[in-house]
Amino acid sequence: MEVQFLEKNSDYESVLDVLLQLRPNYNLDSLSAQIEKQQSHGYQVVYVKSSEGILAAAGFNVGEKLSWGKHIYIDDLVTNAQFRSRGVGKVILNWLKTYALEIGCEQIHLDSGVQRFSAHKFYLREGLNIASHHFSMVKLQDG
């Protein structure tokens, strides 16, 4: 297994197919366009590849905030459904931890939908903590 940064190469569509498992509201073209748009603002995608194919993918940003210092924020983290429960999630998360330390980050953060119980068990097992509640307003309107 090796972790690679996403580039427009022969793996590109296969990586997007894995990301679509997490983001089914996109199709291949709209996901590609959105990733390119986000990449212009620092978004990066890495993926785990083996002889069996694309095993997992993660999209993240490196940022700096008063509250967290320099950090990685993981926007998207998905293990290909056919390779779950084989340690692949641990591989990509460990890679992200190592990369964060290499570039001087103090923390890693992510949000996870309240319904994703198996993901939460994984995150807790891997040493992430439930540190806050995330509040949001969607479909903003005046007034």
Side-chain angles (χ1 to χ4, degrees):
M1 282 188 271
E2 72 178 284
V3 178
Q4 300 178 22
F5 281 93
L6 181 64
E7 298 177 15
K8 289 265 183 148
N9 60 23
S10 59
D11 293 334
Y12 189 78
E13 281 192 19
S14 297
V15 173
L16 267 55
D17 283 337
V18 172
L19 286 168
L20 285 169
Q21 294 176 25
L22 181 65
R23 305 290 180 209
N25 52 311
Y26 290 92
N27 62 42
L28 204 57
D29 291 334
S30 63
L31 181 62
S32 179
Q34 185 61 38
I35 286 173
E36 288 180 27
K37 183 178 176 182
Q38 288 180 215
Q39 284 175 324
S40 70
H41 299 285
Y43 181 75
Q44 301 174 68
V45 177
V46 293
Y47 61 99
V48 180
K49 180 180 180 177
S50 78
S51 60
E52 296 179 87
I54 306 304
L55 308 182
F60 65 95
N61 282 288
V62 177
E64 199 150 342
K65 296 182 181 225
L66 291 172
S67 55
W68 299 341
K70 188 173 183 184
H71 65 279
I72 283 181
Y73 184 86
I74 303 169
D75 290 296
D76 309 291
L77 177 59
V78 59
T79 298
N80 190 336
Q82 65 192 63
F83 300 109
R84 291 194 181 135
S85 298
R86 291 186 175 181
V88 178
K90 184 178 185 76
V91 168
I92 200 163
L93 191 56
N94 283 341
W95 184 93
L96 287 160
K97 289 177 193 177
T98 299
Y99 182 70
L101 290 169
E102 286 174 3
I103 62 172
C105 290
E106 300 172 19
Q107 300 185 19
I108 292 177
H109 289 263
L110 62 80
D111 285 323
S112 181
V114 294
Q115 76 285 0
R116 298 189 66 226
F117 300 113
S118 60
H120 302 162
K121 284 173 59 176
F122 166 73
Y123 297 141
L124 291 167
R125 188 174 62 242
E126 294 306 314
L128 283 86
N129 299 307
I130 301 171
S132 68
H133 294 280
H134 176 94
F135 295 88
S136 62
M137 285 185 173
V138 296
K139 298 182 183 181
L140 291 175
Q141 302 175 27
D142 285 336

